[in-house]
Amino acid sequence: MKKSCSLRAGYPIVIISNQVRAAYIEAIAQAQQDDSGIHPLLDLIVDAARYSLIETLQILATASDSQSQGLPFYEEMLAVLQQHSQ
């Protein structure tokens, strides 16, 4: 079986913040109890990935060596990501 790494696939590092730690632990426990309970855990991870992606794009778009050339792309992607999170 071939294992793949989310970083190699182009996904950002996902950090579960302290603010959602309790919800994360509860979602893990719920997912372990029954397969249909995995949705809260997946939602939490997707939200954290979205936030990480926004942060990564912002860093890349505003880096001094980029001379803010990526800023229009960042702003467009931010609008798309925010629209999908509503």
Side-chain angles (χ1 to χ4, degrees):
M1 175 167 57
K2 186 176 181 180
K3 294 182 181 179
S4 64
C5 176
S6 60
L7 286 175
R8 284 189 229 145
Y11 292 98
I13 294 173
V14 175
I15 298 171
I16 305 300
S17 69
N18 288 337
Q19 291 84 359
V20 296
R21 183 172 187 248
Y24 176 67
I25 292 170
E26 184 178 323
I28 290 173
Q30 185 178 357
Q32 289 176 335
Q33 289 177 357
D34 67 62
D35 291 338
S36 64
I38 196 152
H39 296 291
L41 178 61
L42 293 177
D43 290 342
L44 198 142
I45 292 172
V46 167
D47 287 343
R50 182 181 293 117
Y51 182 78
S52 292
L53 179 59
I54 290 170
E55 283 190 335
T56 301
L57 288 173
Q58 182 181 26
I59 290 168
L60 293 173
T62 59
S64 61
D65 62 344
S66 75
Q67 300 173 351
S68 296
Q69 291 177 350
L71 197 54
F73 174 74
Y74 164 71
E75 290 169 347
E76 184 177 337
M77 289 305 299
L78 182 60
V80 168
L81 290 168
Q82 287 175 337
Q83 181 181 23
H84 286 285
S85 67
Q86 296 175 356

